[in-house]
Amino acid sequence: MSPSDLQILIDKNRDWAAQVVARDPQFFRNLSQQQRPAYLWIGCADSRIPATQVTGMAPGEIFVHRNVANVVVHTDLNCLSVIQYAVEVLRVKTIVVCGHYGCGGVHAALHDASHGLIDNWLRHIQDVAEKYREPLAAIEDRAARWDRLCELNVIEQVVNVCQTTVLQQAWRRGQEVSVHGCIYGVHDGLLRDLEVSISGAAEIMPRFRQAVALLETPSPLRSPTS
Ligand code: CO
Protein backbone atom coordinates (compact mmCIF):
# COMPACT_ATOMS: atom_id res chain seq x y z
CA MET A 1 0.00 0.00 0.00
CA SER A 2 1.39 3.41 -0.93
CA PRO A 3 1.59 5.99 1.85
CA SER A 4 -1.19 8.55 1.91
CA ASP A 5 -0.52 12.08 0.75
CA LEU A 6 -0.55 13.25 4.36
CA GLN A 7 1.76 10.48 5.45
CA ILE A 8 4.28 11.63 2.83
CA LEU A 9 4.34 15.06 4.49
CA ILE A 10 4.69 13.60 7.97
CA ASP A 11 7.50 11.28 6.92
CA LYS A 12 9.37 14.07 5.15
CA ASN A 13 8.88 16.30 8.19
CA ARG A 14 10.46 13.66 10.46
CA ASP A 15 13.47 13.43 8.14
CA TRP A 16 13.81 17.21 7.94
CA ALA A 17 13.54 17.77 11.69
CA ALA A 18 16.12 15.06 12.32
CA GLN A 19 18.54 16.69 9.86
CA VAL A 20 18.09 20.10 11.50
CA VAL A 21 18.71 18.68 14.97
CA ALA A 22 21.76 16.80 13.69
CA ARG A 23 23.24 20.11 12.54
CA ASP A 24 22.12 22.14 15.56
CA PRO A 25 20.77 20.21 18.57
CA GLN A 26 19.41 23.43 20.14
CA PHE A 27 17.70 24.74 16.99
CA PHE A 28 14.07 24.03 17.85
CA ARG A 29 14.52 24.74 21.56
CA ASN A 30 15.93 28.18 20.78
CA LEU A 31 13.28 28.91 18.18
CA SER A 32 10.47 27.91 20.51
CA GLN A 33 11.40 30.70 22.93
CA GLN A 34 10.52 33.48 20.50
CA GLN A 35 10.50 34.56 16.87
CA ARG A 36 12.53 37.60 15.93
CA PRO A 37 12.40 37.86 12.15
CA ALA A 38 14.04 40.86 10.49
CA TYR A 39 11.90 40.47 7.37
CA LEU A 40 8.30 40.49 6.30
CA TRP A 41 7.76 38.85 2.92
CA ILE A 42 4.59 39.49 0.94
CA GLY A 43 4.63 37.07 -1.95
CA CYS A 44 2.55 35.06 -4.37
CA ALA A 45 0.94 31.84 -3.16
CA ASP A 46 2.58 30.07 -6.15
CA SER A 47 4.07 26.78 -4.91
CA ARG A 48 7.36 27.50 -6.67
CA ILE A 49 8.33 30.43 -4.45
CA PRO A 50 8.63 29.42 -0.79
CA ALA A 51 10.08 32.60 0.76
CA THR A 52 12.42 31.00 3.27
CA GLN A 53 13.81 28.43 0.83
CA VAL A 54 14.48 30.71 -2.14
CA THR A 55 16.33 33.18 0.08
CA GLY A 56 18.35 30.52 1.84
CA MET A 57 17.00 31.67 5.21
CA ALA A 58 16.10 29.49 8.18
CA PRO A 59 12.77 29.11 9.98
CA GLY A 60 12.37 32.11 12.26
CA GLU A 61 14.00 34.59 9.90
CA ILE A 62 11.12 35.65 7.66
CA PHE A 63 7.53 36.49 8.59
CA VAL A 64 5.44 35.56 5.59
CA HIS A 65 2.17 36.58 3.97
CA ARG A 66 1.25 35.05 0.63
CA ASN A 67 -1.80 35.35 -1.56
CA VAL A 68 -2.59 34.94 -5.24
CA ALA A 69 -0.42 37.41 -7.19
CA ASN A 70 0.99 39.19 -4.08
CA VAL A 71 -1.72 41.81 -3.90
CA VAL A 72 -1.98 44.32 -1.04
CA VAL A 73 -5.55 45.55 -0.81
CA HIS A 74 -6.36 48.37 1.61
CA THR A 75 -9.39 46.56 3.02
CA ASP A 76 -7.84 43.09 3.26
CA LEU A 77 -7.91 42.50 7.00
CA ASN A 78 -5.73 39.44 6.64
CA CYS A 79 -2.84 41.20 4.90
CA LEU A 80 -3.23 44.35 7.00
CA SER A 81 -3.11 42.32 10.21
CA VAL A 82 0.08 40.61 9.07
CA ILE A 83 1.68 43.97 8.26
CA GLN A 84 0.54 45.46 11.56
CA TYR A 85 1.81 42.55 13.65
CA ALA A 86 5.09 42.45 11.73
CA VAL A 87 5.76 46.18 12.11
CA GLU A 88 4.35 46.92 15.55
CA VAL A 89 4.97 43.71 17.47
CA LEU A 90 7.81 41.90 15.72
CA ARG A 91 9.34 45.21 14.62
CA VAL A 92 10.67 43.89 11.33
CA LYS A 93 13.12 46.24 9.62
CA THR A 94 12.53 45.16 6.05
CA ILE A 95 9.36 44.43 4.11
CA VAL A 96 9.72 42.79 0.71
CA VAL A 97 6.89 42.55 -1.79
CA CYS A 98 7.98 39.77 -4.10
CA GLY A 99 6.24 39.02 -7.37
CA HIS A 100 7.41 36.59 -10.01
CA TYR A 101 7.65 36.25 -13.74
CA GLY A 102 5.16 33.78 -15.12
CA CYS A 103 2.56 34.63 -12.47
CA GLY A 104 -0.67 32.85 -13.38
CA GLY A 105 -2.79 35.39 -11.51
CA VAL A 106 -1.28 38.25 -13.49
CA HIS A 107 -1.74 36.29 -16.71
CA ALA A 108 -5.41 35.66 -15.99
CA ALA A 109 -5.93 39.35 -15.24
CA LEU A 110 -4.12 40.42 -18.40
CA HIS A 111 -6.12 38.15 -20.67
CA ASP A 112 -9.50 38.49 -19.02
CA ALA A 113 -9.59 34.78 -18.31
CA SER A 114 -12.39 33.65 -16.04
CA HIS A 115 -11.68 31.29 -13.14
CA GLY A 116 -14.70 31.91 -10.93
CA LEU A 117 -14.57 33.61 -7.54
CA ILE A 118 -10.91 34.52 -7.92
CA ASP A 119 -11.83 36.91 -10.77
CA ASN A 120 -12.87 39.36 -8.06
CA TRP A 121 -9.43 39.19 -6.45
CA LEU A 122 -7.66 39.48 -9.79
CA ARG A 123 -9.74 42.56 -10.55
CA HIS A 124 -7.13 44.48 -8.51
CA ILE A 125 -4.48 43.48 -11.05
CA GLN A 126 -6.79 44.37 -13.90
CA ASP A 127 -6.95 47.82 -12.32
CA VAL A 128 -3.15 47.97 -12.51
CA ALA A 129 -3.29 46.82 -16.15
CA GLU A 130 -5.86 49.50 -16.86
CA LYS A 131 -3.72 52.18 -15.20
CA TYR A 132 -0.80 51.26 -17.50
CA ARG A 133 -2.90 50.43 -20.56
CA GLU A 134 -0.89 52.54 -23.01
CA PRO A 135 2.65 51.47 -22.06
CA LEU A 136 1.49 47.85 -21.87
CA ALA A 137 -0.20 48.03 -25.27
CA ALA A 138 3.04 49.41 -26.71
CA ILE A 139 4.79 46.13 -25.86
CA GLU A 140 4.12 43.90 -28.87
CA ASP A 141 5.43 40.64 -27.52
CA ARG A 142 2.79 38.96 -25.33
CA ALA A 143 5.29 37.34 -23.00
CA ALA A 144 7.13 40.63 -22.51
CA ARG A 145 3.84 42.37 -21.76
CA TRP A 146 3.09 39.70 -19.16
CA ASP A 147 6.54 40.22 -17.61
CA ARG A 148 5.95 43.95 -17.48
CA LEU A 149 2.61 43.64 -15.74
CA CYS A 150 4.21 41.29 -13.18
CA GLU A 151 6.80 44.03 -12.52
CA LEU A 152 4.27 46.87 -12.42
CA ASN A 153 2.08 44.88 -10.05
CA VAL A 154 4.97 44.58 -7.57
CA ILE A 155 5.72 48.30 -7.74
CA GLU A 156 2.05 49.16 -7.21
CA GLN A 157 1.79 46.80 -4.24
CA VAL A 158 4.91 48.32 -2.67
CA VAL A 159 3.14 51.68 -2.81
CA ASN A 160 0.03 50.10 -1.29
CA VAL A 161 2.07 48.78 1.65
CA CYS A 162 3.61 52.23 2.15
CA GLN A 163 0.20 53.85 2.17
CA THR A 164 -1.25 51.65 4.90
CA THR A 165 -1.90 53.38 8.22
CA VAL A 166 0.57 50.92 9.76
CA LEU A 167 3.54 52.16 7.72
CA GLN A 168 2.44 55.78 7.81
CA GLN A 169 2.21 55.71 11.61
CA ALA A 170 5.47 53.78 11.98
CA TRP A 171 7.36 56.39 9.96
CA ARG A 172 5.63 59.23 11.82
CA ARG A 173 6.92 57.93 15.14
CA GLY A 174 10.41 57.46 13.69
CA GLN A 175 10.45 53.67 13.45
CA GLU A 176 13.04 52.34 11.03
CA VAL A 177 11.31 50.13 8.50
CA SER A 178 11.77 50.01 4.74
CA VAL A 179 9.65 48.55 1.95
CA HIS A 180 11.14 46.98 -1.17
CA GLY A 181 9.97 45.35 -4.39
CA CYS A 182 11.55 42.27 -5.92
CA ILE A 183 10.63 39.92 -8.72
CA TYR A 184 11.62 36.28 -8.85
CA GLY A 185 12.38 34.24 -11.94
CA VAL A 186 10.83 30.82 -11.67
CA HIS A 187 12.99 29.83 -14.67
CA ASP A 188 16.32 30.60 -12.97
CA GLY A 189 15.61 30.87 -9.24
CA LEU A 190 16.92 34.44 -9.04
CA LEU A 191 15.49 37.49 -7.31
CA ARG A 192 15.73 40.89 -9.02
CA ASP A 193 15.55 44.18 -7.17
CA LEU A 194 12.97 46.45 -8.82
CA GLU A 195 14.64 49.43 -7.12
CA VAL A 196 11.57 50.74 -5.40
CA SER A 197 13.03 50.91 -1.89
CA ILE A 198 11.11 53.24 0.39
CA SER A 199 11.93 54.12 3.98
CA GLY A 200 9.75 57.18 4.60
CA ALA A 201 6.47 58.72 3.46
CA ALA A 202 8.19 61.48 1.46
CA GLU A 203 10.02 58.88 -0.64
CA ILE A 204 6.93 57.07 -1.90
CA MET A 205 6.07 59.01 -5.03
CA PRO A 206 9.65 59.85 -6.19
CA ARG A 207 10.79 56.24 -5.78
CA PHE A 208 7.62 54.95 -7.38
CA ARG A 209 8.08 57.16 -10.46
CA GLN A 210 11.78 56.26 -10.73
CA ALA A 211 11.02 52.54 -10.54
CA VAL A 212 8.32 52.71 -13.21
CA ALA A 213 10.63 54.77 -15.47
CA LEU A 214 13.42 52.26 -14.91
CA LEU A 215 11.28 49.50 -16.40
CA GLU A 216 11.69 51.23 -19.77
CA THR A 217 15.45 50.65 -19.57
CA PRO A 218 16.24 47.28 -21.15
CA SER A 219 17.71 44.77 -18.70
CA PRO A 220 18.32 41.17 -19.77
CA LEU A 221 18.18 39.92 -16.18
CA ARG A 222 15.01 41.80 -15.35
CA SER A 223 12.87 40.92 -18.36
CA PRO A 224 13.64 37.31 -19.16
CA THR A 225 11.19 36.70 -21.97
CA SER A 226 11.61 39.96 -23.90
CO1 CO B 1 1.94 34.14 -8.97
Side-chain angles (χ1 to χ4, degrees):
M1 199 179 90
S2 63
S4 70
D5 292 347
L6 177 60
Q7 196 57 47
I8 291 170
L9 294 186
I10 291 173
D11 291 346
K12 282 185 174 289
N13 162 260
R14 293 295 183 276
D15 292 345
W16 170 79
Q19 284 167 23
V20 172
V21 170
R23 277 197 304 270
D24 177 0
Q26 299 301 314
F27 183 83
F28 291 112
R29 197 168 306 159
N30 291 340
L31 211 54
S32 69
Q33 309 298 318
Q34 63 175 323
Q35 63 163 336
R36 207 182 283 161
Y39 298 93
L40 164 61
W41 172 283
I42 299 174
C44 184
D46 191 303
S47 62
R48 297 167 293 182
I49 312 136
T52 302
Q53 254 171 302
V54 303
T55 54
M57 302 294 262
E61 294 186 297
I62 309 185
F63 199 61
V64 176
H65 177 77
R66 291 168 68 183
N67 62 39
V68 172
N70 43 272
V71 179
V72 176
V73 179
H74 290 302
T75 51
D76 176 7
L77 200 56
N78 182 354
C79 184
L80 292 177
S81 300
V82 169
I83 296 172
Q84 189 249 332
Y85 189 79
V87 171
E88 295 180 10
V89 181
L90 298 174
R91 300 185 78 83
V92 299
K93 293 252 187 297
T94 306
I95 299 174
V96 178
V97 176
C98 184
H100 66 103
Y101 292 119
C103 183
V106 172
H107 190 269
L110 189 60
H111 297 289
D112 257 330
S114 185
H115 295 289
L117 177 71
I118 196 171
D119 297 352
N120 299 282
W121 181 253
L122 298 178
R123 181 64 237 177
H124 294 291
I125 300 168
Q126 288 185 308
D127 292 344
V128 175
E130 185 63 28
K131 180 174 172 183
Y132 296 94
R133 188 151 49 106
E134 282 182 26
L136 284 170
I139 303 171
E140 281 177 32
D141 182 69
R142 283 166 69 98
R145 199 181 311 138
W146 182 12
D147 287 345
R148 180 57 52 84
L149 185 55
C150 291
E151 295 165 341
L152 287 166
N153 182 47
V154 171
I155 293 169
E156 288 287 325
Q157 306 313 325
V158 165
V159 171
N160 285 347
V161 173
C162 294
Q163 285 172 338
T164 58
T165 53
V166 179
L167 267 293
Q168 294 286 321
Q169 287 166 7
W171 285 328
R172 215 170 290 141
R173 63 178 176 262
Q175 186 175 336
E176 268 181 49
V177 52
S178 58
V179 187
H180 308 262
C182 284
I183 189 152
Y184 176 84
V186 286
H187 61 289
D188 63 7
L190 298 179
L191 279 178
R192 290 102 170 130
D193 182 1
L194 287 175
E195 300 189 42
V196 58
S197 297
I198 297 168
S199 48
E203 296 176 5
I204 300 174
M205 291 325 287
R207 292 282 151 80
F208 161 73
R209 288 194 202 97
Q210 276 170 17
V212 172
L214 194 66
L215 295 179
E216 298 297 331
T217 313
S219 159
L221 183 68
R222 212 198 55 239
S223 301
T225 50
S226 58

